[in-house]
Structures are given as structure tokens and as C-alpha cells.
């Protein structure tokens, strides 16, 4: 049975700075649903989304799981954290949000404890001039020269965060170097869960595990 996409609502103020769910969001939801049996079998107790934006992904993951778990999400944007909590509430899910950069506010307490890690990073290759001209919401998609500026800051933390049975789902663009990403971790296995054409590009959801 197909799982419903969570309801969400962005206020006029949030629309200026919070990423409105789009193709990449829905691809990640589809990947989680495709892997639902695998994820549920791992019985995740701690779920963490990095850069939660609207909270649709965190809420979907929380409602997909069979048992109770601690659902956490981070975002640099105070309004995104606010929106994510409202999305969870609208869909009768439990979600705690923390304002901060990537996993920094939580990582010391969560090392080795995250069973399900989710990240839809800013991945669009963007010049310095383009980034400077972006509106605030552009931070959600502007990824620097190769689209990996934010991602490359976070990747070294992933093996430290994941529990023994932890799963990490990542959204990436073809231009981010999919083959390189799949081989990034020497101590984690990897595979492509889903891929989909988006305009002239391809979006991917990659999965990593021990």
C-alpha cells in the first residue's frame, strides 16, 4: 500500500527562505518507501535528517516506521525548523528540531547511535557570483562549483554517526560525481536506490550501510 505524502504548509514568511518540496524531495520519499521493509527490519530507534527544510521527509520517515523512535532534524534556518515541527504536527508525527549547521549541534551525543540518516543537500553546481545573488531560499539548493560544497563538509561525519545497523540515504545530482560518491567511504557499502530524470539532469538516491 502506498504511503501518503505528508501534508505541509509554508507561511508567506517561510516561502522566502524554506525549500518548498520538489522533485528531489519526492524522489527521496519514493526511495524510502521502496526500502520500507529493509528500514523497518532494522528497527531504527534514532532517525536524523540533516537540513530538514519543510519537514516533509522527516515526517514521512517517522510515519513509515512501525515502532516508536526518536526523530530528530537539523536546519540552519529557524523558520525551517518551525515549519518542520508544524508539518510533523499536521501529520500526527513526533519530531524534534535543532537549529544549527549540519549535525554539529547533536553529533557528540549521537556518535554511533543514528539508525536512519537522511540528507537532501544543496547539490546544484553554482558559481560564487550565483550564490551571492541567491535569495535566502537559494541556500537550500546552491551547492558551490561542483555542487558538493556542503556535502563534502558533512560526509566525513557519516561513519561516526551511523549505528552498527545504520542506513544513510543521500540525494545527489549526476554532476556531483555519482561513481565517486559510491566509493567515498572505505568502511561503508553503497548502492543506488532510485534514479530519475529531472529536466536535462538525473537525480539519484544513494544508500550507504556497514
Amino acid at each position: 500500500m502506498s504511503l501518503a505524502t505528508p501534508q505541509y504548509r509554508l507561511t508567506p514568511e517561510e516561502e522566502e527562505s524554506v525549500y518548498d518540496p520538489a522533485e528531489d524531495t519526492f524522489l527521496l520519499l519514493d526511495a524510502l518507501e521502496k526500502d520500507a521493509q529493509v528500514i523497518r527490519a532494522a528497527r531504527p530507534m534514532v532517525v536524523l535528517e540533516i537540513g530538514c527544510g519543510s519537514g516533509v521527509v522527516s515526517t514521512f520517515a517517522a510515519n513509515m516506521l512501525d515502532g516508536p523512535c526518536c526523530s530528530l532534524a537539523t536546519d540552519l534556518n529557524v523558520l525551517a525548523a518551525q515549519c518542520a515541527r508544524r508539518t510533523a504536527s499536521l501529520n500526527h508525527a513526533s519530531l524534534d528540531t535543532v537549529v544549527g549547521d549540519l549535525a554539529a549541534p547533536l553529533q557528540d551525543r549521537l556518535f554511533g547511535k543514528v539508525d536512519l540518516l537522511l540528507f537532501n543537500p544543496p547539490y546544484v553546481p553554482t558559481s560564487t557570483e550565483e550564490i551571492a545573488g541567491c535569495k535566502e531560499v537559494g541556500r537550500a539548493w546552491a551547492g558551490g562549483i561542483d555542487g558538493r560544497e556542503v556535502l563534502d563538509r558533512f560526509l566525513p561525519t557519516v561513519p561516526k554517526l551511523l549505528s552498527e545497523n545504520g542506513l544513510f540515504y543521500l540525494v545527489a545530482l549526476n554532476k556531483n560525481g555519482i561513481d565517486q560518491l559510491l566509493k567515498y567511504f572505505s568502511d561503508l557499502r553503497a548502492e543506488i536506490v532510485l534514479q530519475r530524470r529531472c529536466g536535462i539532469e538525473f537525480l539519484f538516491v544513494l544508500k550507504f550501510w556497514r
Side-chain angles (χ1 to χ4, degrees):
M1 182 173 148
S2 182
L3 297 171
T5 300
Q7 300 176 60
Y8 70 96
R9 178 174 55 83
L10 271 62
T11 66
E13 183 183 19
E14 290 165 355
E15 288 175 356
E16 296 297 318
S17 66
V18 178
Y19 186 66
D20 202 351
E23 290 93 341
D24 49 359
T25 313
F26 302 125
L27 181 64
L28 181 51
L29 299 189
D30 289 345
L32 294 176
E33 184 167 12
K34 179 182 177 183
D35 260 15
Q37 188 172 349
V38 172
I39 295 170
R40 288 170 179 151
R43 298 187 179 279
M45 298 301 295
V46 177
V47 178
L48 173 63
E49 183 183 8
I50 304 300
C52 61
S54 67
V56 164
V57 172
S58 286
T59 298
F60 184 88
N63 284 342
M64 183 182 75
L65 300 177
D66 288 332
C69 69
C70 175
S71 292
L72 304 165
T74 69
D75 205 291
L76 266 177
N77 186 348
V78 174
L79 292 178
Q82 166 186 289
C83 182
R85 289 193 300 272
R86 184 171 62 251
T87 298
S89 179
L90 280 171
N91 296 274
H92 311 291
S94 175
L95 178 66
D96 291 322
T97 60
V98 179
V99 176
D101 184 37
L102 302 174
L106 298 169
Q107 62 189 27
D108 290 344
R109 285 174 285 171
L110 292 182
F111 274 172
K113 296 178 181 177
V114 179
D115 302 306
L116 181 58
L117 181 61
L118 308 168
F119 194 20
N120 181 6
Y123 55 71
V124 177
T126 320
S127 69
T128 303
E129 292 77 15
E130 287 174 315
I131 291 175
C134 280
K135 293 182 179 180
E136 192 172 356
V137 72
R139 296 175 188 172
W141 54 262
I145 299 302
D146 58 2
R148 286 180 48 169
E149 187 174 295
V150 176
L151 180 58
D152 283 338
R153 287 199 296 115
F154 178 66
L155 287 176
T157 312
V158 170
K160 301 174 186 177
L161 287 170
L162 286 182
S163 66
E164 196 59 37
N165 296 314
L167 301 168
F168 171 41
Y169 291 83
L170 170 69
V171 178
L173 193 67
N174 198 33
K175 290 181 180 178
N176 301 147
I178 299 301
D179 289 342
Q180 183 187 43
L181 285 171
L182 289 169
K183 298 172 184 175
Y184 184 91
F185 302 105
S186 60
D187 51 349
L188 297 179
R189 290 174 282 175
E191 69 177 17
I192 296 170
V193 181
L194 276 181
Q195 58 181 292
R196 184 174 296 161
R197 180 179 288 278
C198 178
I200 62 172
E201 266 292 353
F202 275 94
L203 285 171
F204 296 78
V205 175
L206 312 181
K207 177 173 71 174
F208 301 86
W209 72 102
R210 296 192 191 283

